[in-house]
Amino acid sequence: MDDDIADILASVSAPALPVRTLDLQALTRAWVNERTAPELLPYPTDLVDRVMERIGKQISTIEAMSGTMDPQANFTLVILQTELERFKFLVRSFLRARIAKIDTYALHYATLPSQLSPLERQYLQSHQSLISIHYSTSFLSTFPTSLQKLDDTAGGISMVDKPDEDAAVFCRVLKDTGNVEIQGISEVAEIEMKRGDVRVLRWSAVKEAVERGDVELI
Amino acid sequence: MALPLPPGLTPSEMAFLCEMELVTVIPRQRLEGLELLGGPTQPLNPPFPAPLPLWLALLLKRQRRANIRTPPWLRPDSLAAILEFETDTAKEAFSPPPNLPPPTTTSLHVDQTTAYLPATATTLELSPPFLQNSTTSAPPDALPYHWLELSQLLLAAAPDDFEDPDSVRRLLRDLREVRMAKLRKGIEVLDAGAGIKMNGVGGMEIAESRAFIGGVVDGLRYVPSMRSMELWGGGGGGSLCGTE
């Protein structure tokens, strides 16, 4: 009963944040998650599209304001430009983190095109073709035909590098999600995730929760 | 290379993240409300205080257009109380962080294709640095997530806004030492499956020890396979930290 009243009061008294602020929080979270996770996360198409649209509008506002040389407007311009640079850094670092992962595990993500945006898929294809052409002209064409494949999965060991799914990540729990199974040295244990916990866990244990938005990486 | 950094935020990126925290600013000049990309800002009418993101507050402070009011937890008495709590009361764990706001309960689960919610988002949970833990309405007895970088930035840019910057610096140094000692002791209980709870740890502390702790946990994953190698007389087991 008390919890319900507290919830109702909180939702009534706290003003709803504007969508722009929520998008900034979402973009920041996406950036931190992408920088921390060992694997490529699904591409947040809507979020990036909205943010890029706003950035474009802000750039045109700034260009329009740069015409007048009024000192007061000058300072507002400085503030707007500073904030624009911050946003551009966030978006660029986010995209770079993704491209770095695509570069490292190119063959693996070629089989998972759903995680990539259309531009990333294009990049992956051209990157792959450039590399394979380079390899075959430099040395691969001199190999016997049976050894010329780059994605050989025969013989027990696959040539395709997969990202390390058990890497340690720091995470914060945002919603009570119940139990998560963790693999200790000798036994399998279950720990409960309560809102506000900060833990070091394997990526495979929290991957689904991160994609749902219940857990964020820090 | 697209991004030569290892996974995880570097300390400078953590500081960038910290600059998005809101702080209370006492303006000295009028400034109209701006429509920033991250949301509208309040118009500044001296002498009324207003919340602004830290990067903007530092910009205004450097141009002497505003003063920054130190958050309640960054005063000598609050820091002394927190330090006492850390050393005497909570010897193993860190002091608890400020309470999170109640979880958003509106459950308009719109059909979403991505994890980062569409325009109707009211179910996005807020987390640091968007939690308002450094405005004047913050609780004075809890260190927020970005305490270290926030205090360093404020001490560097606005030392005149503190009543006693030297004792604040001293207390911050002591706090940092106590917490780093706890982190180092916590390494002993690390397990390959991990799952150690470290509520209350700070962002910069994680950025500094991420490589080490992550390396330890990843290394411990190999211990069972090393143990089986030892049974066959393989000598590689001693090179890792496992001392079973």
Side-chain angles (χ1 to χ4, degrees):
Chain A
M1 216 345 221
D2 291 317
D3 290 336
D4 293 332
I5 294 182
D7 286 339
I8 296 173
L9 282 175
S11 60
V12 167
S13 57
L17 288 175
V19 180
R20 283 179 280 170
T21 316
L22 288 175
D23 271 350
L24 178 58
Q25 159 82 86
L27 180 65
T28 316
R29 189 170 289 161
W31 172 62
V32 178
N33 285 355
E34 202 69 59
R35 285 278 290 119
T36 325
E39 224 181 15
L40 203 62
L41 299 168
Y43 186 72
T45 325
D46 298 325
L47 176 67
V48 176
D49 286 343
R50 285 201 304 275
V51 168
M52 292 305 291
E53 199 193 307
R54 279 191 212 120
I55 287 182
K57 276 196 219 149
Q58 189 81 329
I59 292 179
S60 19
T61 316
I62 288 180
E63 280 172 0
M65 277 180 78
S66 305
T68 63
M69 285 314 284
D70 170 31
Q72 180 63 9
N74 218 2
F75 183 61
T76 322
L77 205 59
V78 167
I79 298 180
L80 288 178
Q81 281 172 329
T82 315
E83 211 229 354
L84 184 70
E85 288 303 314
R86 289 178 63 91
F87 255 80
K88 279 161 63 178
F89 169 75
L90 268 181
V91 176
R92 279 200 191 115
S93 191
F94 174 65
L95 292 174
R96 273 178 182 263
R98 290 181 67 91
I99 290 182
K101 286 183 203 170
I102 293 178
D103 277 346
T104 329
Y105 304 114
L107 287 166
H108 174 70
Y109 288 116
T111 59
L112 286 172
S114 55
Q115 306 270 47
L116 310 171
S117 73
L119 277 175
E120 284 169 354
R121 270 177 240 145
Q122 240 178 315
Y123 166 76
L124 181 60
Q125 271 177 329
S126 35
H127 186 246
Q128 292 258 72
S129 60
L130 280 173
I131 285 209
S132 55
I133 291 175
H134 175 63
Y135 283 171
S136 50
T137 47
S138 5
F139 57 88
L140 214 50
S141 44
T142 61
F143 283 13
T145 335
S146 60
L147 293 175
Q148 274 186 10
K149 283 179 57 150
L150 283 172
D151 52 353
D152 197 359
T153 49
I157 306 178
S158 165
M159 276 181 74
V160 176
D161 277 334
K162 287 181 62 166
D164 184 12
E165 299 215 343
D166 286 335
V169 290
F170 288 74
C171 59
R172 178 187 294 123
V173 182
L174 295 171
K175 293 190 192 150
D176 291 336
T177 45
N179 298 344
V180 156
E181 198 182 273
I182 50 172
Q183 184 84 21
I185 289 189
S186 39
E187 74 282 325
V188 176
E190 273 211 353
I191 45 168
E192 206 190 322
M193 313 267 267
K194 300 207 75 59
R195 178 171 155 81
D197 278 354
V198 173
R199 289 180 180 273
V200 182
L201 289 170
R202 290 195 191 190
W203 169 243
S204 44
V206 287
K207 175 176 155 155
E208 278 177 17
V210 169
E211 290 184 357
R212 271 198 316 259
D214 293 337
V215 164
E216 65 162 353
L217 300 179
I218 54 177
Chain B
M1 286 208 61
L3 194 75
L5 301 167
L9 293 181
T10 62
S12 7
E13 288 172 337
M14 191 61 80
F16 176 79
L17 205 52
C18 161
E19 286 180 342
M20 293 197 236
E21 287 255 4
L22 286 176
V23 289
T24 312
V25 155
I26 305 169
R28 289 157 78 167
Q29 269 189 12
R30 291 181 61 94
L31 186 67
E32 78 271 11
L34 300 166
E35 289 293 319
L36 295 178
L37 282 169
T41 48
Q42 224 177 315
L44 297 180
N45 291 319
F48 299 108
L52 287 181
L54 182 63
W55 60 269
L56 186 52
L58 291 174
L59 186 64
L60 292 174
K61 175 74 189 176
R62 273 198 294 269
Q63 305 211 337
R64 282 191 269 275
R65 296 182 192 230
N67 283 346
I68 304 181
R69 193 177 282 166
T70 53
W73 51 268
L74 199 54
R75 310 222 170 103
D77 40 353
S78 339
L79 284 177
I82 297 174
L83 182 59
E84 207 185 297
F85 186 77
E86 290 255 357
T87 40
D88 300 329
T89 328
K91 290 211 181 41
E92 296 295 323
F94 296 97
S95 62
N99 288 327
L100 287 169
T104 46
T105 48
T106 48
S107 53
L108 319 157
H109 241 308
V110 185
D111 187 45
Q112 53 205 42
T113 50
T114 66
Y116 305 109
L117 309 180
T120 51
T122 44
T123 53
L124 187 69
E125 295 291 342
L126 295 178
S127 64
F130 297 96
L131 280 183
Q132 308 234 1
N133 282 329
S134 302
T135 55
T136 39
S137 53
D141 55 353
L143 284 179
Y145 180 63
H146 290 288
W147 66 277
L148 188 55
E149 46 273 34
L150 196 88
S151 48
Q152 295 294 334
L153 284 168
L154 286 180
L155 278 170
D160 50 333
D161 287 327
F162 287 80
E163 315 95 50
D164 191 359
D166 292 324
S167 74
V168 168
R169 281 198 187 99
R170 192 176 25 92
L171 285 163
L172 283 173
R173 210 177 42 229
D174 293 339
L175 255 178
R176 188 165 139 76
E177 281 174 14
V178 166
R179 290 168 72 106
M180 288 310 280
K182 280 189 197 168
L183 254 179
R184 278 192 291 265
K185 249 195 339 189
I187 306 281
E188 292 164 18
V189 298
L190 278 181
D191 187 18
I196 334 117
K197 206 150 83 140
M198 36 167 79
N199 294 14
V201 69
M204 195 56 84
E205 292 159 346
I206 290 189
E208 287 171 339
S209 37
R210 182 193 305 269
F212 183 56
I213 295 186
V216 166
V217 172
D218 287 339
L220 284 174
R221 270 196 279 149
Y222 294 111
V223 170
S225 50
M226 291 298 239
R227 219 185 274 139
S228 62
M229 265 171 61
E230 267 183 23
L231 288 174
W232 293 7
S239 59
L240 284 183
C241 50
T243 50
E244 297 289 323

